[in-house]
Amino acid sequence: MPQRMHRFDATMGSFTADVMAFARRRMEADAHGLALGHPRSPADLDAAAGPSITEEGLGPDEVLRRFTEVLEPACLSVDFPRYLAFVPAAPSEIAVLADLVVSACSIYGGSWLEGAGAVWAENQALRWISDLAGLPAQAGGCFVSGGTNGNLPALVAARAAARAARAKGDRASPAGGWAIVAGETAHSSVEAAAEVMDAELVVVPGRRLTGPALAPVLARLGPRVAAVVATAGSTNLGLVDDLASVADACSAAGAWLHVDAAYGGAALCAPSARPRFAGIERADSVIVDPHKWLFAPFDVCALVYRDPELGRLAHSQHADYLDVLYSGDWNPSDYAVHLTRRARGVPFWFALAANGTRAYAEAVEECLRTTRRAAEIVRAAPHLELVCEPELSVVALRRTGWGFDDYRGWSNRMLESGQLFAVPSRHEDEPMLRLCIVNPATTEDDIALVVASLR
């Protein structure tokens, strides 16, 4: 007889209906607002939610009430059209529902043996991303949780490949330890990965990484270089490195080229932006986060290797109880630093297959059009100035005469009023404001509201 928490009885039937009704109301809402008075303190939530973990349990209805009335309103909705901070998200309704389906099916997504159907679907989605990047037919990999957990295994695989090449005598052994080379605008996770790998991070100065700036650094470091990281859509300014010339420099030096396109890679599907990524097809590894700008729910990052065998050699785990898995099947657990994994790429595949790729191109183009219009609005405002011309969907601007505390005070007021969410950043030691537009529901009226509030 199943224990009570593993039975689908009348209580669970009623609870399921309540959960689906709440989810439907949430998705049907025209605009999902921000939490007023956010952030709430731990003491406030303690008082409002009350003790929740008890010996007998509160029952599903009461827990759902506390979540919907107290906890969910204390969280920000990243799909709110005026959520413009960091890199927000705008998951499609189909992808959200597919996420529920995947959880209900209890699929283990680490091996073909246990999740062949899910792995097949994920590989279809990975193929689309690989084709957008112009990678060869054999390219492949897996979905991981996010850009940080995409950059790390890619760099680990690069180091393993370099180590194997040197063991065969193809290159001299490095003296002084491994080095990872990246541009000044590389994501903070690249530094974190270098720390985990006990490698030196060598930063090439400049707003954009270029081949001419990179080549002498590679020549100086020689065989110490494990990989070069180029950025296709920097988080702070949304800029794309000169990938073609960087690829030239890497090719000349025999260095692995990893392209971090976690945020910007979605624009590969937009004809107006695709030329900015020339050279990405020469990368040895690429990451793209569908949960950022390809309208998937958290958390999903595509990690693709030009030669997946190099990823497999670096990451596959071996144990007696795992021997049954190694019969030539495609196991996602072989391509990153993980074993257990959910089939996180399936909701993305589901929505991609249901909506069609043209819908994705149109949605990304809509964000790009809004960004261009936003830049025009900022240029026309006498109290504002653009930090740089937007390349993708980040608008970086400054308010004349403001310091960091002014931006922070404005940000807090806007959040407390529920109007919008944007936070200050810095560029070249000067405070600024950045607006990241990845939601097709964001309009120029939303940007006009931001500009007006900065007066």
Side-chain angles (χ1 to χ4, degrees), residues 101-163:
V101 170
V102 169
S103 294
C105 291
S106 298
I107 297 171
Y108 171 73
S111 74
W112 184 271
L113 174 66
E114 296 156 284
V119 175
W120 180 91
E122 290 187 320
N123 286 347
Q124 292 282 301
L126 287 168
R127 183 69 262 155
W128 180 65
I129 291 175
S130 299
D131 288 344
L132 286 178
L135 294 172
Q138 74 270 16
C142 67
F143 286 103
V144 295
S145 63
T148 296
N149 284 335
N151 284 330
L152 176 60
L155 296 175
V156 168
R159 182 181 62 181
R163 183 181 287 149

Side-chain angles (χ1 to χ4, degrees), residues 61-98:
D61 292 338
E62 174 58 18
V63 175
L64 181 61
R65 184 195 70 79
R66 295 190 191 194
F67 176 79
T68 59
E69 296 180 7
V70 179
L71 302 181
E72 193 272 339
C75 302
L76 300 184
S77 298
V78 297
D79 56 350
F80 180 53
R82 292 195 297 274
Y83 187 119
L84 301 165
F86 311 117
V87 181
S92 68
E93 284 73 13
I94 290 176
V96 170
L97 290 171

Side-chain angles (χ1 to χ4, degrees), residues 27 113 116 211 231 291 402 443:
M27 290 189 292
L113 174 66
T231 303
H291 65 227
W402 273 19
T443 67

Side-chain angles (χ1 to χ4, degrees), residues 37-64:
H38 185 88
R40 300 178 68 175
S41 69
D44 183 18
L45 289 175
D46 286 343
S52 60
I53 309 301
T54 66
E55 185 171 344
E56 295 300 322
L58 302 175
D61 292 338
E62 174 58 18
V63 175
L64 181 61

Side-chain angles (χ1 to χ4, degrees), residues 149-217:
N149 284 335
N151 284 330
L152 176 60
L155 296 175
V156 168
R159 182 181 62 181
R163 183 181 287 149
R166 284 159 188 149
K168 291 191 301 183
D170 293 350
R171 303 179 191 172
S173 298
W178 294 102
I180 295 168
V181 183
E184 188 177 322
T185 62
H187 191 265
S188 56
S189 62
V190 175
E191 181 178 6
E195 180 70 20
V196 169
M197 295 169 62
D198 194 25
E200 179 187 0
L201 178 62
V202 179
V203 176
V204 181
R207 182 180 284 187
R208 193 191 316 271
L209 182 63
T210 68
L214 174 64
V217 176

Side-chain angles (χ1 to χ4, degrees), residues 400-439:
T400 305
W402 273 19
F404 192 84
D405 289 342
D406 297 303
Y407 289 105
R408 176 64 62 82
W410 169 86
S411 176
N412 290 340
R413 291 191 300 273
M414 292 299 102
L415 179 56
E416 288 169 3
S417 70
Q419 295 184 71
L420 62 96
F421 183 47
V423 297
S425 183
R426 294 185 185 275
H427 176 63
E428 296 178 346
D429 293 328
E430 291 291 327
M432 69 171 197
L433 182 66
R434 58 180 294 282
L435 311 176
C436 186
I437 301 168
V438 297
N439 189 339

